Amino acid sequence: MTHDRLSDGTLRSLPNQASVPAYDRDDIAPGIVHLGVGAFHRAHQAAYVDDCLAAGERDWGIVGVSLRSADTRDALAPQDGLYTLAIRDSGGESLRVIGSIQSMLVAPEDPGAVLAALIDPRTRIVTLTITEKAYLRAADGRLDETHPDIVHDLANPGLPRTAHGFLTEALARRRAAGTPAFTVLCCDNLPANGATLHRLLIEFAALRDQGLARQGDVQLAPQGDAPLASHIANDVAFPSSMVDRIVPATTDADRTRIAVELGVEDAWPVMTEPFCQWVVEDDFPAGRPAWEKFGVTMVADVGPFEDMKLRLLNGSHSGIAYLGLLSGHATVDRAFADPAIRQFVDRLWAEAISTLPEDAGLDTSAYTAELAQRFSNTALAHRTAQIANDGSQKLPQRIVASVLECLEAGTEMVHLTLVVAAWIAACAARGKALPEAHFTDPLDAPLTELLSQQLPANETVTAVFDLAGFARDHPERQTLIELVAVHLVHLRRDGPILAFAALGIDGIEAD
């Protein structure tokens, strides 16, 4: 059966069980530019903004920007930016059409259009979900000055490729025009994400300032103003935030099911769970939507919430992914139903909880109980391979930070260290027990070459740590390497069965 396409023209013909935007989309003005319009943004920030628009805050429409691929634009442009958010749990599914994305731009096709959106005086907030690897950090956490895209953007400020280049050039042009700076709101899983992005942008702007000074060029700033790096350091707000919602990849079966339920075709619906959380540092000099009316927690310090989420949800997710893959489990719910993996996750949570502040009002018992329910959601079919991507970028804040704090405090961390070993073992298993490109990592080329040498476990772990920069210059680095190497020996000898048995865990079940 051929269906019409979801669009403004077909919106009112949708069945009653699908909720639709409760506002006139023609009355909406753009106020937010979002970099990285993937499924997570469309399940999370865009839904919160949709609530605000429905409540009458009409100045916060979203201009979506894809920094790499045109796929999302190509899917949503014929749909006037509309898409279906399918909220699924074991009890069923509810459908909601989101209308907050007004337009879509693809940066490689027209960087000038992206800059025009960023310097538009109506733009007061720029949000980002570009994934950890797109922040282009070197192994020491600082800006990777040698990355080809950073080099390009420094040489070609008017034709940027990176978020760093777009934000810096836009802020320079706004300052030159006398337009107040926008607020930059990072929504990626980075520790102190606002402060981290702020530091990276200051580093980038300082390199740009140095380059312009060497060339004798005049910056885009009123005569006598401070360098651009100082402007970004002192005059631009970078609040931190914590985001939480599980968003599995959309499948063709999802598209077919949604088309049947709506009676129209949606080229890229988004699947998600009922749970949704957003904690935001309340620092928006240019104004913001009243997100708190719709469940967003506005706070002075995001740190404790961020650490709890990174270490309990994201950390256990990585453990479930790598150990699940090595145990033959394709989805999170199946892996979490494995008695051994479930017992392992409970113990990992106990270790990670010991690193969280006791005086921050965190209810870790309630949080992990809710996580257990979310991980058991059979309707999501969240693929372990999807979560496994980019481990070299994710594990430092999800696992390694907790391990180092445990080592400093003299507390248990043997379950946390198994996650790092499982990542190494899963990377080595690609092309053997796992399909060759089952998941990916920015370090795939050197990782593959290193792991193909089949070095002894301790040498392998040391080389991987050197490559990824894990625990660089930390006094407990060698201890951490040795702990991970013991797990890797077990995983190499008899997979998760022996690794779990060494921890006193039994009962593993493969699909």
Side-chain angles (χ1 to χ4, degrees):
M1 179 184 296
T2 301
H3 297 279
D4 292 331
R5 196 74 172 264
L6 176 65
S7 66
D8 286 334
T10 59
L11 198 57
R12 300 305 164 189
S13 67
L14 299 184
N16 292 334
Q17 61 264 35
S19 63
V20 300
Y23 51 89
D24 186 344
R25 298 184 77 221
D26 291 334
D27 291 342
I28 302 304
I32 299 172
V33 172
H34 183 81
L35 306 182
V37 192
F40 183 83
H41 167 69
R42 293 189 285 135
H44 193 272
Q45 298 95 25
Y48 281 113
V49 172
D50 194 67
D51 288 333
C52 294
L53 297 175
E57 297 190 68
R58 304 301 168 88
D59 297 332
W60 297 107
I62 298 172
V63 177
V65 177
S66 292
L67 291 175
R68 297 292 181 189
S69 168
D71 291 350
T72 305
R73 189 276 315 275
D74 292 347
L76 297 190
Q79 301 179 180
D80 302 314
L82 297 169
Y83 61 93
T84 310
L85 185 61
I87 302 168
R88 312 186 70 192
D89 62 15
S90 303
E93 178 178 69
S94 62
L95 303 182
R96 174 184 176 183
V97 177
I98 303 294
S100 54
I101 297 179
Q102 289 188 290
S103 61
M104 285 284 304
L105 303 172
V106 180
E109 292 181 1
D110 194 349
V114 177
L115 288 171
L118 289 168
I119 65 175
D120 186 331
R122 296 175 296 178
T123 298
R124 289 183 279 165
I125 300 174
V126 178
T127 52
L128 300 89
T129 51
I130 58 177
T131 74
E132 294 93 335
K133 63 185 175 184
Y135 289 89
L136 306 181
R137 295 170 294 163
D140 62 0
R142 298 178 63 82
L143 181 71
D144 183 358
E145 300 177 9
T146 65
H147 191 284
D149 289 342
I150 293 295
V151 173
H152 171 276
D153 283 6
L154 290 170
N156 303 275
L159 295 171
R161 295 174 179 171
T162 67
H164 315 65
F166 277 109
L167 292 172
T168 303
E169 177 68 8
L171 288 167
R173 294 188 186 188
R174 288 176 78 103
R175 181 170 70 152
T179 304
F182 44 64
T183 297
V184 182
L185 179 60
C186 179
C187 300
D188 280 301
N189 289 322
L190 299 172
N193 53 15
T196 298
L197 178 55
H198 195 187
R199 174 178 51 76
L200 292 170
L201 226 60
I202 293 169
E203 292 176 15
F204 179 87
L207 292 171
R208 172 178 158 141
D209 288 339
Q210 294 167 14
L212 291 172
R214 285 194 298 270
Q215 298 166 18
D217 290 345
V218 178
Q219 290 195 53
L220 288 171
Q223 189 172 4
D225 268 17
L228 182 57
S230 297
H231 171 60
I232 292 173
N234 300 318
D235 304 324
V236 184
F238 287 76
S240 289
S241 72
M242 183 276 277
V243 297
D244 188 0
R245 198 170 210 184
I246 294 174
V247 184
T250 301
T251 66
D252 288 340
D254 294 325
R255 292 182 176 90
T256 299
R257 186 184 69 258
I258 298 300
V260 170
E261 293 185 35
L262 292 184
V264 297
E265 179 186 350
D266 182 346
W268 208 329
V270 178
M271 308 298 113
T272 193
E273 61 175 336
F275 181 90
C276 193
Q277 186 179 23
W278 197 6
V279 183
V280 181
E281 181 185 352
D282 200 356
D283 182 16
F284 292 82
R288 63 167 176 81
W291 283 314
E292 67 273 18
K293 294 181 180 179
F294 304 99
V296 178
T297 304
M298 307 301 300
V299 298
D301 182 13
V302 173
F305 299 92
E306 179 182 69
D307 286 344
M308 181 170 70
K309 189 256 183 171
L310 283 170
R311 299 182 182 195
L312 300 187
L313 185 150
N314 297 124
S316 60
H317 240 177
S318 291
I320 290 168
Y322 299 123
L323 291 166
L325 287 170
L326 294 171
S327 303
H329 299 304
T331 61
V332 169
D333 62 289
R334 292 177 182 176
F336 196 61
D338 183 315
I341 292 179
R342 174 57 196 271
Q343 189 176 352
F344 167 80
V345 170
D346 285 339
R347 294 184 181 186
L348 181 147
W349 281 337
E351 292 176 357
I353 286 170
S354 72
T355 71
L356 298 174
E358 297 180 356
D359 57 353
L362 302 176
D363 189 344
T364 56
S365 295
Y367 188 72
T368 52
E370 190 160 37
L371 285 180
Q373 184 176 6
R374 295 167 66 191
F375 291 165
S376 301
N377 186 344
T378 58
L380 281 184
H382 198 184
R383 295 173 57 248
T384 47
Q386 179 185 350
I387 300 166
N389 288 323
D390 304 334
S392 66
Q393 309 296 301
K394 295 175 178 177
L395 291 182
Q397 56 267 17
R398 295 184 177 197
I399 297 294
V400 176
S402 296
V403 173
L404 294 176
E405 290 186 27
C406 288
L407 284 169
E408 292 167 1
T411 57
E412 193 75 30
M413 86 303 287
V414 291
H415 299 82
L416 288 163
T417 49
L418 176 54
V419 179
V420 182
W423 168 63
I424 296 172
C427 288
R430 291 177 300 180
K432 300 172 185 174
L434 297 174
E436 186 166 354
H438 204 44
F439 61 90
T440 62
D441 193 281
L443 298 179
D444 268 342
L447 268 176
T448 300
E449 181 180 356
L450 167 61
L451 295 174
S452 68
Q453 299 175 33
Q454 298 182 324
L455 299 171
N458 199 288
E459 292 181 36
T460 296
V461 175
T462 300
V464 169
F465 272 48
D466 289 342
L467 183 63
F470 290 170
R472 182 180 295 273
D473 299 326
H474 195 281
E476 296 287 356
R477 182 175 186 267
Q478 187 57 40
T479 302
L480 173 55
I481 288 172
E482 292 170 2
L483 290 168
V484 173
V486 170
H487 292 305
L488 186 58
V489 168
H490 296 152
L491 289 169
R492 284 177 167 180
R493 187 176 301 163
D494 200 14
I497 294 175
L498 181 57
F500 284 139
L503 297 174
I505 297 173
D506 297 313
I508 192 165
E509 297 177 358
D511 287 349

PDB file of all heavy atoms in Angstrom, residues 5-28:
ATOM      1  N   ARG A   5       2.584  11.308   2.259  1.00  0.00           N
ATOM      2  CA  ARG A   5       3.673  11.624   3.165  1.00  0.00           C
ATOM      3  C   ARG A   5       3.159  12.474   4.331  1.00  0.00           C
ATOM      4  O   ARG A   5       2.302  13.353   4.154  1.00  0.00           O
ATOM      5  CB  ARG A   5       4.754  12.389   2.395  1.00  0.00           C
ATOM      6  CG  ARG A   5       6.111  12.483   3.067  1.00  0.00           C
ATOM      7  CD  ARG A   5       6.859  11.158   3.002  1.00  0.00           C
ATOM      8  NE  ARG A   5       8.224  11.331   3.489  1.00  0.00           N
ATOM      9  CZ  ARG A   5       9.276  11.549   2.698  1.00  0.00           C
ATOM     10  NH1 ARG A   5       9.125  11.605   1.387  1.00  0.00           N
ATOM     11  NH2 ARG A   5      10.480  11.680   3.215  1.00  0.00           N
ATOM     12  N   LEU A   6       3.676  12.237   5.525  1.00  0.00           N
ATOM     13  CA  LEU A   6       3.411  13.113   6.658  1.00  0.00           C
ATOM     14  C   LEU A   6       3.859  14.527   6.290  1.00  0.00           C
ATOM     15  O   LEU A   6       4.970  14.732   5.803  1.00  0.00           O
ATOM     16  CB  LEU A   6       4.170  12.619   7.885  1.00  0.00           C
ATOM     17  CG  LEU A   6       4.083  13.479   9.147  1.00  0.00           C
ATOM     18  CD1 LEU A   6       2.658  13.516   9.692  1.00  0.00           C
ATOM     19  CD2 LEU A   6       5.043  12.954  10.204  1.00  0.00           C
ATOM     20  N   SER A   7       3.007  15.528   6.537  1.00  0.00           N
ATOM     21  CA  SER A   7       3.334  16.913   6.209  1.00  0.00           C
ATOM     22  C   SER A   7       2.291  17.814   6.850  1.00  0.00           C
ATOM     23  O   SER A   7       1.307  17.341   7.446  1.00  0.00           O
ATOM     24  CB  SER A   7       3.332  17.132   4.689  1.00  0.00           C
ATOM     25  OG  SER A   7       2.011  16.980   4.165  1.00  0.00           O
ATOM     26  N   ASP A   8       2.507  19.116   6.732  1.00  0.00           N
ATOM     27  CA  ASP A   8       1.484  20.054   7.222  1.00  0.00           C
ATOM     28  C   ASP A   8       0.146  19.797   6.548  1.00  0.00           C
ATOM     29  O   ASP A   8      -0.910  19.925   7.173  1.00  0.00           O
ATOM     30  CB  ASP A   8       1.924  21.497   6.955  1.00  0.00           C
ATOM     31  CG  ASP A   8       3.023  21.965   7.899  1.00  0.00           C
ATOM     32  OD1 ASP A   8       3.109  21.422   9.020  1.00  0.00           O
ATOM     33  OD2 ASP A   8       3.802  22.849   7.513  1.00  0.00           O
ATOM     34  N   GLY A   9       0.186  19.410   5.268  1.00  0.00           N
ATOM     35  CA  GLY A   9      -1.048  19.178   4.526  1.00  0.00           C
ATOM     36  C   GLY A   9      -1.814  17.958   4.962  1.00  0.00           C
ATOM     37  O   GLY A   9      -3.048  17.905   4.793  1.00  0.00           O
ATOM     38  N   THR A  10      -1.121  16.946   5.501  1.00  0.00           N
ATOM     39  CA  THR A  10      -1.811  15.722   5.909  1.00  0.00           C
ATOM     40  C   THR A  10      -2.002  15.625   7.420  1.00  0.00           C
ATOM     41  O   THR A  10      -2.597  14.671   7.913  1.00  0.00           O
ATOM     42  CB  THR A  10      -1.017  14.481   5.445  1.00  0.00           C
ATOM     43  OG1 THR A  10       0.303  14.513   6.010  1.00  0.00           O
ATOM     44  CG2 THR A  10      -0.919  14.444   3.926  1.00  0.00           C
ATOM     45  N   LEU A  11      -1.523  16.643   8.138  1.00  0.00           N
ATOM     46  CA  LEU A  11      -1.505  16.578   9.602  1.00  0.00           C
ATOM     47  C   LEU A  11      -2.894  16.371  10.183  1.00  0.00           C
ATOM     48  O   LEU A  11      -3.089  15.572  11.117  1.00  0.00           O
ATOM     49  CB  LEU A  11      -0.885  17.868  10.143  1.00  0.00           C
ATOM     50  CG  LEU A  11      -0.377  17.878  11.581  1.00  0.00           C
ATOM     51  CD1 LEU A  11       0.662  16.794  11.805  1.00  0.00           C
ATOM     52  CD2 LEU A  11       0.222  19.247  11.909  1.00  0.00           C
ATOM     53  N   ARG A  12      -3.876  17.087   9.662  1.00  0.00           N
ATOM     54  CA  ARG A  12      -5.223  17.036  10.255  1.00  0.00           C
ATOM     55  C   ARG A  12      -5.994  15.771   9.866  1.00  0.00           C
ATOM     56  O   ARG A  12      -7.081  15.529  10.396  1.00  0.00           O
ATOM     57  CB  ARG A  12      -6.026  18.275   9.853  1.00  0.00           C
ATOM     58  CG  ARG A  12      -5.380  19.589  10.300  1.00  0.00           C
ATOM     59  CD  ARG A  12      -5.126  19.608  11.793  1.00  0.00           C
ATOM     60  NE  ARG A  12      -4.189  20.673  12.180  1.00  0.00           N
ATOM     61  CZ  ARG A  12      -3.678  20.798  13.384  1.00  0.00           C
ATOM     62  NH1 ARG A  12      -3.963  19.910  14.328  1.00  0.00           N
ATOM     63  NH2 ARG A  12      -2.838  21.785  13.663  1.00  0.00           N
ATOM     64  N   SER A  13      -5.434  14.979   8.956  1.00  0.00           N
ATOM     65  CA  SER A  13      -6.120  13.743   8.570  1.00  0.00           C
ATOM     66  C   SER A  13      -5.646  12.544   9.381  1.00  0.00           C
ATOM     67  O   SER A  13      -6.140  11.430   9.183  1.00  0.00           O
ATOM     68  CB  SER A  13      -5.878  13.464   7.082  1.00  0.00           C
ATOM     69  OG  SER A  13      -4.514  13.161   6.827  1.00  0.00           O
ATOM     70  N   LEU A  14      -4.741  12.765  10.310  1.00  0.00           N
ATOM     71  CA  LEU A  14      -4.207  11.649  11.094  1.00  0.00           C
ATOM     72  C   LEU A  14      -5.265  11.129  12.058  1.00  0.00           C
ATOM     73  O   LEU A  14      -6.143  11.876  12.516  1.00  0.00           O
ATOM     74  CB  LEU A  14      -2.972  12.102  11.872  1.00  0.00           C
ATOM     75  CG  LEU A  14      -1.785  12.614  11.043  1.00  0.00           C
ATOM     76  CD1 LEU A  14      -0.603  12.935  11.944  1.00  0.00           C
ATOM     77  CD2 LEU A  14      -1.380  11.610   9.979  1.00  0.00           C
ATOM     78  N   PRO A  15      -5.184   9.868  12.417  1.00  0.00           N
ATOM     79  CA  PRO A  15      -6.160   9.296  13.354  1.00  0.00           C
ATOM     80  C   PRO A  15      -6.067   9.947  14.727  1.00  0.00           C
ATOM     81  O   PRO A  15      -5.035  10.484  15.118  1.00  0.00           O
ATOM     82  CB  PRO A  15      -5.770   7.815  13.411  1.00  0.00           C
ATOM     83  CG  PRO A  15      -4.363   7.752  12.924  1.00  0.00           C
ATOM     84  CD  PRO A  15      -4.200   8.857  11.949  1.00  0.00           C
ATOM     85  N   ASN A  16      -7.144   9.885  15.474  1.00  0.00           N
ATOM     86  CA  ASN A  16      -7.235  10.568  16.769  1.00  0.00           C
ATOM     87  C   ASN A  16      -6.220  10.064  17.782  1.00  0.00           C
ATOM     88  O   ASN A  16      -5.824  10.803  18.697  1.00  0.00           O
ATOM     89  CB  ASN A  16      -8.643  10.422  17.347  1.00  0.00           C
ATOM     90  CG  ASN A  16      -9.673  11.181  16.537  1.00  0.00           C
ATOM     91  OD1 ASN A  16      -9.343  12.162  15.876  1.00  0.00           O
ATOM     92  ND2 ASN A  16     -10.925  10.721  16.570  1.00  0.00           N
ATOM     93  N   GLN A  17      -5.776   8.823  17.658  1.00  0.00           N
ATOM     94  CA  GLN A  17      -4.846   8.287  18.658  1.00  0.00           C
ATOM     95  C   GLN A  17      -3.451   8.890  18.541  1.00  0.00           C
ATOM     96  O   GLN A  17      -2.605   8.697  19.431  1.00  0.00           O
ATOM     97  CB  GLN A  17      -4.754   6.757  18.568  1.00  0.00           C
ATOM     98  CG  GLN A  17      -4.249   6.213  17.249  1.00  0.00           C
ATOM     99  CD  GLN A  17      -5.374   5.807  16.321  1.00  0.00           C
ATOM    100  OE1 GLN A  17      -6.433   6.445  16.314  1.00  0.00           O
ATOM    101  NE2 GLN A  17      -5.173   4.742  15.557  1.00  0.00           N
ATOM    102  N   ALA A  18      -3.171   9.613  17.463  1.00  0.00           N
ATOM    103  CA  ALA A  18      -1.881  10.282  17.308  1.00  0.00           C
ATOM    104  C   ALA A  18      -2.033  11.746  17.704  1.00  0.00           C
ATOM    105  O   ALA A  18      -2.864  12.460  17.149  1.00  0.00           O
ATOM    106  CB  ALA A  18      -1.400  10.171  15.870  1.00  0.00           C
ATOM    107  N   SER A  19      -1.235  12.201  18.673  1.00  0.00           N
ATOM    108  CA  SER A  19      -1.286  13.610  19.056  1.00  0.00           C
ATOM    109  C   SER A  19      -0.478  14.429  18.052  1.00  0.00           C
ATOM    110  O   SER A  19       0.540  13.972  17.529  1.00  0.00           O
ATOM    111  CB  SER A  19      -0.754  13.809  20.469  1.00  0.00           C
ATOM    112  OG  SER A  19       0.610  13.437  20.548  1.00  0.00           O
ATOM    113  N   VAL A  20      -0.954  15.636  17.770  1.00  0.00           N
ATOM    114  CA  VAL A  20      -0.326  16.502  16.770  1.00  0.00           C
ATOM    115  C   VAL A  20      -0.020  17.856  17.398  1.00  0.00           C
ATOM    116  O   VAL A  20      -0.544  18.184  18.470  1.00  0.00           O
ATOM    117  CB  VAL A  20      -1.234  16.670  15.534  1.00  0.00           C
ATOM    118  CG1 VAL A  20      -1.507  15.320  14.879  1.00  0.00           C
ATOM    119  CG2 VAL A  20      -2.548  17.348  15.914  1.00  0.00           C
ATOM    120  N   PRO A  21       0.833  18.680  16.777  1.00  0.00           N
ATOM    121  CA  PRO A  21       1.168  19.984  17.350  1.00  0.00           C
ATOM    122  C   PRO A  21      -0.083  20.817  17.638  1.00  0.00           C
ATOM    123  O   PRO A  21      -0.917  21.011  16.750  1.00  0.00           O
ATOM    124  CB  PRO A  21       2.037  20.623  16.272  1.00  0.00           C
ATOM    125  CG  PRO A  21       2.664  19.474  15.559  1.00  0.00           C
ATOM    126  CD  PRO A  21       1.619  18.406  15.548  1.00  0.00           C
ATOM    127  N   ALA A  22      -0.172  21.313  18.863  1.00  0.00           N
ATOM    128  CA  ALA A  22      -1.351  22.088  19.288  1.00  0.00           C
ATOM    129  C   ALA A  22      -1.094  23.579  19.115  1.00  0.00           C
ATOM    130  O   ALA A  22      -1.323  24.382  20.021  1.00  0.00           O
ATOM    131  CB  ALA A  22      -1.682  21.758  20.742  1.00  0.00           C
ATOM    132  N   TYR A  23      -0.585  23.958  17.952  1.00  0.00           N
ATOM    133  CA  TYR A  23      -0.302  25.351  17.665  1.00  0.00           C
ATOM    134  C   TYR A  23      -0.191  25.512  16.151  1.00  0.00           C
ATOM    135  O   TYR A  23      -0.014  24.535  15.415  1.00  0.00           O
ATOM    136  CB  TYR A  23       1.001  25.799  18.337  1.00  0.00           C
ATOM    137  CG  TYR A  23       2.188  24.896  18.078  1.00  0.00           C
ATOM    138  CD1 TYR A  23       3.027  25.091  16.982  1.00  0.00           C
ATOM    139  CD2 TYR A  23       2.475  23.834  18.933  1.00  0.00           C
ATOM    140  CE1 TYR A  23       4.105  24.259  16.741  1.00  0.00           C
ATOM    141  CE2 TYR A  23       3.556  22.994  18.696  1.00  0.00           C
ATOM    142  CZ  TYR A  23       4.373  23.217  17.599  1.00  0.00           C
ATOM    143  OH  TYR A  23       5.434  22.391  17.354  1.00  0.00           O
ATOM    144  N   ASP A  24      -0.306  26.756  15.689  1.00  0.00           N
ATOM    145  CA  ASP A  24      -0.167  27.073  14.280  1.00  0.00           C
ATOM    146  C   ASP A  24       1.317  27.212  13.971  1.00  0.00           C
ATOM    147  O   ASP A  24       1.973  28.155  14.430  1.00  0.00           O
ATOM    148  CB  ASP A  24      -0.916  28.374  13.960  1.00  0.00           C
ATOM    149  CG  ASP A  24      -0.937  28.682  12.455  1.00  0.00           C
ATOM    150  OD1 ASP A  24      -0.135  28.082  11.709  1.00  0.00           O
ATOM    151  OD2 ASP A  24      -1.756  29.530  12.039  1.00  0.00           O
ATOM    152  N   ARG A  25       1.860  26.300  13.209  1.00  0.00           N
ATOM    153  CA  ARG A  25       3.295  26.317  12.936  1.00  0.00           C
ATOM    154  C   ARG A  25       3.727  27.553  12.149  1.00  0.00           C
ATOM    155  O   ARG A  25       4.897  27.944  12.199  1.00  0.00           O
ATOM    156  CB  ARG A  25       3.704  25.043  12.192  1.00  0.00           C
ATOM    157  CG  ARG A  25       3.446  23.774  12.995  1.00  0.00           C
ATOM    158  CD  ARG A  25       3.959  22.546  12.264  1.00  0.00           C
ATOM    159  NE  ARG A  25       5.410  22.411  12.350  1.00  0.00           N
ATOM    160  CZ  ARG A  25       6.183  22.033  11.347  1.00  0.00           C
ATOM    161  NH1 ARG A  25       5.656  21.785  10.150  1.00  0.00           N
ATOM    162  NH2 ARG A  25       7.489  21.906  11.503  1.00  0.00           N
ATOM    163  N   ASP A  26       2.799  28.185  11.436  1.00  0.00           N
ATOM    164  CA  ASP A  26       3.132  29.399  10.696  1.00  0.00           C
ATOM    165  C   ASP A  26       3.402  30.585  11.616  1.00  0.00           C
ATOM    166  O   ASP A  26       3.989  31.586  11.185  1.00  0.00           O
ATOM    167  CB  ASP A  26       1.999  29.755   9.726  1.00  0.00           C
ATOM    168  CG  ASP A  26       1.870  28.763   8.582  1.00  0.00           C
ATOM    169  OD1 ASP A  26       2.888  28.117   8.246  1.00  0.00           O
ATOM    170  OD2 ASP A  26       0.767  28.619   8.040  1.00  0.00           O
ATOM    171  N   ASP A  27       2.961  30.490  12.860  1.00  0.00           N
ATOM    172  CA  ASP A  27       3.160  31.592  13.814  1.00  0.00           C
ATOM    173  C   ASP A  27       4.477  31.482  14.576  1.00  0.00           C
ATOM    174  O   ASP A  27       4.777  32.338  15.412  1.00  0.00           O
ATOM    175  CB  ASP A  27       2.007  31.617  14.830  1.00  0.00           C
ATOM    176  CG  ASP A  27       0.691  32.023  14.191  1.00  0.00           C
ATOM    177  OD1 ASP A  27       0.715  32.608  13.094  1.00  0.00           O
ATOM    178  OD2 ASP A  27      -0.369  31.755  14.788  1.00  0.00           O
ATOM    179  N   ILE A  28       5.254  30.436  14.316  1.00  0.00           N
ATOM    180  CA  ILE A  28       6.462  30.186  15.100  1.00  0.00           C
ATOM    181  C   ILE A  28       7.653  30.928  14.490  1.00  0.00           C
ATOM    182  O   ILE A  28       7.863  30.912  13.270  1.00  0.00           O
ATOM    183  CB  ILE A  28       6.753  28.669  15.156  1.00  0.00           C
ATOM    184  CG1 ILE A  28       5.554  27.924  15.758  1.00  0.00           C
ATOM    185  CG2 ILE A  28       8.016  28.399  15.959  1.00  0.00           C
ATOM    186  CD1 ILE A  28       5.132  28.412  17.109  1.00  0.00           C
TER     187      ILE A  28
END
